[in-house]
Amino acid sequence: MDLKDIKNEIMLADFLGISKEDLFFYLKNKPIIYRGGGDSSEAELKKRWYTQIEIPKKNRKFGFRTVYKINSSKLIHINKFLQGYLRNQYTAPMGVHGFVHGKNIRSNALTHLSRKKVLKIDIKDFFESIRRTRVVKLFMQLGAKKEIAESLTQLTTLNGRVVQGFNTSPIIANMVSETMDRAIKKIADKHGCNYTRYADDITFSSDSDLPSEVSVRDLLKKFGFLLNPKKTLFMFRGEKQFVTGLTIFDDKYPRIPKKVKRKIRLRIFYARKYGLWSVAMRELGVTDADIRNHISLYTSLESYTHYIARQLKGSIDYINGIEPLCAEKLYSEFNRIKSDSPGIELYIK
């Protein structure tokens, strides 16, 4: 069954693989959101469709990003199903690297290696700028009747907007932005420069000419987006040049910043020398006396040692995707960490 074949909500329920009663429930009732405070037991959370989470941005001066976690297993199923369906309908323009199969931050940075000039532009509130009317239009363009498109939009947006945290949000954002991507590519071609977009992160690079910030701002506005002037950055050869968190001074491949690798090496060094338990005590500011006086700290410390191990392993896995030779050395050091907490060996490669 395709979207154009769906005549009513009963057929939509069948398309989504849920009962008509469940579909009607989510379409006819106001979403229930847990925003913290009060009863946060597992039983209570199950009654809330979504949980609102505030995550600090990488640069703390830019505040927090709001992410929504879906609690309902049925809504999770709907979201994942629609994510897969939409992916099959989308062919990413050449310059789009975010949330695209086979592309990533490395492929995004590769486009801009060893250029004399780089312009980075950030789209302000990228997901949240996409209103429900644009999502309805998208589903209609895919063949859905207006009533069905509105129902699908209700299941994939919150408070009339696309939000971070839903499985469908990245693919919807890419599909809605397709015309904009092609328009920006024309500007890049006009100036003879390279162009990529990774989610809200737009990058131009060139050895000669770059488009002006004003021209890009005006084009973004035309498509319903705003430029974030605080994050606009011109970077020139000889200075630090970063694209999606990777340095691009090399003419062969992007690299992990030295500062990031140094921080991981140092953490592994302390974990090897003193053991994860001691590192956890140090990072949490816990002393032996604290543990003697509060036996419950044993559980917290054990959980935190597992968190450190997972975090270190994840960081090395990330490096492995960019610089395999560097990661190989880090894996070797990681494997020699003192496993002084039960189950830590689960994270060793």
Side-chain angles (χ1 to χ4, degrees):
M1 188 187 295
D2 208 352
L3 285 183
K4 66 178 183 299
D5 303 317
I6 302 173
K7 308 300 181 185
N8 51 51
E9 289 178 345
I10 295 176
M11 293 181 73
L12 177 59
D14 186 51
F15 173 74
L16 295 172
I18 61 172
S19 70
K20 61 182 181 183
E21 290 79 15
D22 286 333
L23 178 61
F24 291 164
F25 175 80
Y26 290 116
L27 292 179
K28 308 304 180 188
N29 291 287
K30 185 178 179 181
I32 305 172
I33 304 170
Y34 175 71
R35 293 188 170 88
D39 185 359
S40 60
S41 65
E42 186 175 345
E44 185 60 27
L45 284 177
K46 282 183 178 179
K47 300 177 185 177
R48 315 290 179 103
W49 302 12
Y50 311 106
T51 295
Q52 181 178 307
I53 304 168
E54 301 293 328
I55 301 175
K57 293 186 177 179
K58 192 173 182 180
N59 189 330
R60 294 300 178 92
K61 72 179 181 181
F62 294 125
F64 295 80
R65 71 175 75 252
T66 302
V67 177
Y68 291 89
K69 176 180 177 291
I70 303 177
N71 298 324
S72 162
S73 59
K74 293 184 177 69
L75 283 174
I76 291 173
H77 165 79
I78 291 170
N79 226 248
K80 287 185 175 179
F81 173 82
L82 288 173
Q83 176 194 34
Y85 178 83
L86 292 172
R87 277 181 174 173
N88 289 333
Q89 311 301 311
Y90 176 66
T91 301
M94 188 177 295
V96 178
H97 292 257
F99 317 115
V100 176
H101 181 69
K103 295 185 179 182
N104 48 40
I105 61 170
R106 188 177 188 275
S107 65
N108 187 73
L110 269 170
T111 308
H112 306 287
L113 291 183
S114 193
R115 297 294 176 180
K116 290 181 180 179
K117 301 175 184 178
V118 179
L119 169 61
K120 282 182 63 179
I121 284 175
D122 181 82
I123 301 175
K124 185 178 181 182
D125 300 326
F126 178 53
F127 288 116
E128 295 80 1
S129 296
I130 302 171
R131 305 294 181 94
R132 68 178 307 278
T133 51
R134 298 174 74 181
V135 183
V136 170
K137 183 179 178 181
L138 170 65
F139 282 118
M140 291 179 69
Q141 288 171 340
L142 294 173
K145 294 172 58 179
K146 185 177 180 182
E147 298 78 12
I148 300 302
E150 288 176 342
S151 294
L152 288 167
T153 299
Q154 192 171 332
L155 295 167
T156 53
T157 60
L158 198 55
N159 299 324
R161 300 171 185 265
V162 171
V163 296
Q164 296 184 63
F166 285 19
N167 297 79
T168 48
S169 293
I171 183 61
I172 286 175
N174 274 348
M175 294 179 83
V176 165
S177 302
E178 187 171 353
T179 307
M180 178 190 75
D181 288 320
R182 299 190 190 284
I184 298 179
K185 180 66 166 60
K186 286 183 179 179
I187 289 182
D189 290 343
K190 180 181 177 182
H191 290 269
C193 63
N194 296 323
Y195 155 69
T196 61
R197 180 177 65 80
Y198 194 98
D200 57 357
D201 193 348
I202 293 174
T203 306
F204 298 93
S205 66
S206 174
D207 286 333
S208 55
D209 194 21
L210 289 172
S212 69
E213 179 183 348
V214 173
S215 66
V216 180
R217 181 197 65 194
D218 291 345
L219 191 139
L220 290 177
K221 189 175 181 180
K222 177 182 174 182
F223 288 96
F225 295 105
L226 294 177
L227 178 150
N228 188 344
K230 294 180 181 178
K231 292 188 177 181
T232 298
L233 186 62
F234 282 93
M235 298 172 288
F236 300 94
R237 186 72 174 164
E239 302 174 347
K240 289 181 179 180
Q241 292 179 320
F242 295 92
V243 173
T244 43
L246 304 176
T247 62
I248 55 170
F249 69 89
D250 195 298
D251 63 353
K252 294 181 176 63
Y253 55 84
R255 297 175 182 268
I256 304 287
K258 290 180 180 179
K259 182 173 68 173
V260 174
K261 290 185 281 193
R262 195 182 307 122
K263 184 177 179 181
I264 294 171
R265 286 193 189 103
L266 186 61
R267 217 170 179 209
I268 291 175
F269 169 79
Y270 283 124
R272 272 194 60 201
K273 186 173 182 178
Y274 302 109
L276 284 167
W277 185 267
S278 297
V279 172
M281 288 180 64
R282 179 173 174 271
E283 292 188 2
L284 291 175
V286 174
T287 65
D288 289 331
D290 293 328
I291 296 173
R292 284 194 296 271
N293 294 328
H294 303 281
I295 301 300
S296 61
L297 281 176
Y298 273 110
T299 303
S300 298
L301 275 167
E302 186 172 283
S303 296
Y304 195 69
T305 58
H306 284 258
Y307 166 75
I308 294 173
R310 287 195 304 271
Q311 194 178 55
L312 282 173
K313 176 66 162 54
S315 297
I316 302 172
D317 289 343
Y318 164 69
I319 291 175
N320 189 46
I322 311 298
E323 294 186 56
L325 290 178
C326 175
E328 190 176 329
K329 296 176 183 177
L330 291 173
Y331 279 129
S332 177
E333 293 296 305
F334 181 70
N335 288 338
R336 297 163 67 188
I337 288 175
K338 294 180 181 179
S339 300
D340 52 359
S341 184
I344 293 299
E345 63 275 4
L346 293 174
Y347 309 109
I348 306 300
K349 186 178 179 182

